[in-house]
Amino acid sequence: MMSSAFYHLPAVDEWRYITDEPINLAAVLSKAHRPGAGAVVLFSGETRDTSEGKAVWFLEYEAHPSMAAKMIRDILQEAIDRWGLHFAIAQHRTGVVNISDSAVVVVTGAPHRSEAYAANRFIIDKIKHEVPIWKCEHFTDGTKVWSEGCNHKEKVAAAEEVLSDSVNKF
Amino acid sequence: MKVYLYAMLKDYFDHEVWLQQPVHTIDELKEKLSAQNENARDLLDSCRFAVNDRFIDNNYIFQSHDVVSILPPASGG
């Protein structure tokens, strides 16, 4: 890994990035304050009650935990280095996630909001499209379907294009 | 060689598959699994492959002690 002038994340602790316990957003946010971070952005991806017109009962996530944890750590470090963040936090659920519960949280802290927003968007897009985590939608009619995911290379390229556009506007 | 399969691949295979006979390349592995379940062929073509937690490319030659993970397209978030 490249050395960085910015904050260095500790070695990979799997529980830090992948958890089968409910995500406590207030507890996560309470750790996300630094004197130099004038902007803190928290994104929570939460279970929606409908998917393509069908009523969702709950979501269930599966991960390759050791690979997913390492990849999330590397994505966070990349964002820290790229935007000069004071910190970056991300945690993704496995197991059952009920309606309105958080499946994934990303918190970024930077001196100003443009970096905090851009880095947060970068992190969640990369997690969604690259990290080996899979979503199974369970519907109220008793059926279930694995989300098909995406052609990760195309989606990430598209996301980075949007991102570079938004960065250029700042 | 031990192979772990994830998510929707488990609709077609067990989570853990033990291959007695040697398989040397990703293409051979995909062919062997597709022969077991033809319906999984397209899905296997869209998967990424990893050995000992690192992604591998099509040129990789498997060793008998490798632990292989077959990873469908990600759908987290």
Side-chain angles (χ1 to χ4, degrees), chain B residues 13 27-45:
Chain B
F13 307 99
D27 283 342
E28 277 183 41
L29 177 56
K30 285 198 288 194
E31 194 52 47
K32 199 172 186 78
L33 291 170
S34 299
Q36 285 177 28
N37 194 326
E38 191 61 35
N39 294 329
R41 187 177 289 275
D42 288 349
L43 176 56
L44 285 165
D45 275 337

Coordinates of all heavy atoms in Angstrom, one line a residue, chain B residues 13 27-45:
Chain B
F13 N -25.7 -25.2 -6.4 CA -24.6 -26.0 -5.9 C -24.6 -25.9 -4.3 O -25.2 -25.0 -3.8 CB -23.2 -25.6 -6.4 CG -23.1 -25.5 -7.9 CD1 -23.2 -24.3 -8.5 CD2 -22.9 -26.7 -8.6 CE1 -23.1 -24.3 -9.9 CE2 -22.8 -26.6 -10.0 CZ -22.9 -25.4 -10.6
D27 N -11.5 -21.7 -16.7 CA -12.4 -22.3 -17.8 C -12.8 -23.7 -17.5 O -13.9 -24.1 -17.7 CB -11.8 -22.1 -19.2 CG -11.9 -20.7 -19.7 OD1 -12.7 -19.9 -19.1 OD2 -11.1 -20.3 -20.6
E28 N -11.7 -24.5 -17.1 CA -12.0 -25.9 -16.8 C -13.0 -26.1 -15.6 O -13.9 -26.9 -15.6 CB -10.7 -26.6 -16.4 CG -9.9 -27.1 -17.6 CD -8.6 -27.8 -17.2 OE1 -8.7 -28.6 -16.2 OE2 -7.6 -27.6 -17.8
L29 N -12.8 -25.2 -14.6 CA -13.6 -25.2 -13.4 C -15.1 -24.9 -13.8 O -16.0 -25.6 -13.4 CB -13.1 -24.3 -12.3 CG -13.9 -24.2 -11.1 CD1 -14.1 -25.5 -10.4 CD2 -13.2 -23.2 -10.1
K30 N -15.2 -23.8 -14.6 CA -16.6 -23.4 -15.0 C -17.2 -24.5 -15.8 O -18.4 -24.8 -15.6 CB -16.5 -22.2 -15.9 CG -16.2 -20.9 -15.1 CD -16.6 -19.6 -15.8 CE -15.6 -19.3 -16.9 NZ -15.8 -17.9 -17.4
E31 N -16.4 -25.2 -16.7 CA -17.0 -26.3 -17.5 C -17.4 -27.5 -16.6 O -18.5 -28.0 -16.8 CB -15.9 -26.7 -18.5 CG -16.4 -27.6 -19.6 CD -17.6 -27.0 -20.4 OE1 -17.6 -25.8 -20.7 OE2 -18.6 -27.7 -20.5
K32 N -16.6 -27.8 -15.7 CA -16.9 -28.9 -14.8 C -18.2 -28.7 -14.0 O -19.0 -29.5 -13.9 CB -15.7 -29.1 -13.8 CG -15.7 -30.5 -13.2 CD -14.4 -30.6 -12.4 CE -14.3 -32.1 -11.8 NZ -13.8 -33.0 -12.8
L33 N -18.3 -27.4 -13.5 CA -19.5 -27.1 -12.7 C -20.8 -27.0 -13.6 O -21.8 -27.4 -13.2 CB -19.3 -25.8 -11.9 CG -18.3 -25.9 -10.8 CD1 -18.0 -24.5 -10.2 CD2 -18.8 -26.8 -9.6
S34 N -20.6 -26.4 -14.8 CA -21.7 -26.3 -15.7 C -22.2 -27.7 -16.1 O -23.4 -27.9 -16.4 CB -21.3 -25.5 -17.0 OG -20.9 -24.2 -16.6
A35 N -21.3 -28.6 -16.2 CA -21.7 -30.0 -16.6 C -22.6 -30.6 -15.5 O -23.4 -31.4 -15.8 CB -20.4 -30.9 -16.8
Q36 N -22.3 -30.2 -14.3 CA -23.1 -30.7 -13.2 C -24.5 -30.0 -13.2 O -25.5 -30.6 -12.8 CB -22.5 -30.4 -11.8 CG -21.3 -31.3 -11.5 CD -20.7 -30.9 -10.2 OE1 -21.3 -30.3 -9.3 NE2 -19.4 -31.2 -10.1
N37 N -24.6 -28.7 -13.6 CA -25.8 -28.0 -13.6 C -25.8 -27.0 -14.7 O -25.3 -25.9 -14.6 CB -26.1 -27.3 -12.3 CG -27.6 -26.9 -12.2 OD1 -28.2 -26.5 -13.2 ND2 -28.1 -27.0 -11.0
E38 N -26.4 -27.4 -15.9 CA -26.3 -26.6 -17.1 C -26.9 -25.2 -16.9 O -26.5 -24.2 -17.5 CB -27.0 -27.3 -18.2 CG -26.9 -26.7 -19.6 CD -25.4 -26.7 -20.0 OE1 -24.6 -27.6 -19.7 OE2 -25.0 -25.7 -20.7
N39 N -27.9 -25.1 -16.0 CA -28.6 -23.8 -15.7 C -27.7 -22.8 -15.1 O -28.0 -21.6 -15.1 CB -29.8 -24.0 -14.8 CG -30.9 -24.8 -15.5 OD1 -31.0 -24.8 -16.7 ND2 -31.6 -25.6 -14.7
A40 N -26.6 -23.2 -14.5 CA -25.7 -22.3 -13.9 C -24.6 -21.7 -14.8 O -23.8 -20.8 -14.4 CB -25.0 -23.0 -12.7
R41 N -24.6 -22.1 -16.1 CA -23.6 -21.7 -17.0 C -23.4 -20.2 -17.2 O -22.3 -19.6 -17.0 CB -23.8 -22.4 -18.4 CG -22.6 -22.2 -19.3 CD -22.9 -22.9 -20.6 NE -22.8 -24.4 -20.5 CZ -21.6 -25.1 -20.5 NH1 -20.5 -24.5 -20.7 NH2 -21.6 -26.4 -20.4
D42 N -24.5 -19.5 -17.4 CA -24.5 -18.1 -17.7 C -24.0 -17.3 -16.4 O -23.2 -16.4 -16.5 CB -25.8 -17.5 -18.1 CG -26.2 -17.9 -19.5 OD1 -25.2 -18.4 -20.2 OD2 -27.3 -17.7 -19.9
L43 N -24.5 -17.8 -15.3 CA -24.2 -17.2 -14.0 C -22.7 -17.3 -13.8 O -22.0 -16.4 -13.4 CB -25.0 -17.8 -12.8 CG -24.6 -17.3 -11.4 CD1 -24.7 -15.7 -11.3 CD2 -25.5 -17.9 -10.4
L44 N -22.1 -18.5 -14.0 CA -20.7 -18.8 -13.8 C -19.9 -17.9 -14.7 O -18.8 -17.4 -14.3 CB -20.4 -20.2 -14.0 CG -20.8 -21.2 -12.9 CD1 -20.8 -22.7 -13.4 CD2 -20.0 -21.1 -11.7
D45 N -20.4 -17.6 -15.9 CA -19.6 -16.7 -16.8 C -19.5 -15.3 -16.3 O -18.7 -14.5 -16.7 CB -20.3 -16.7 -18.2 CG -19.8 -17.9 -19.0 OD1 -18.7 -18.4 -18.7 OD2 -20.5 -18.3 -19.9

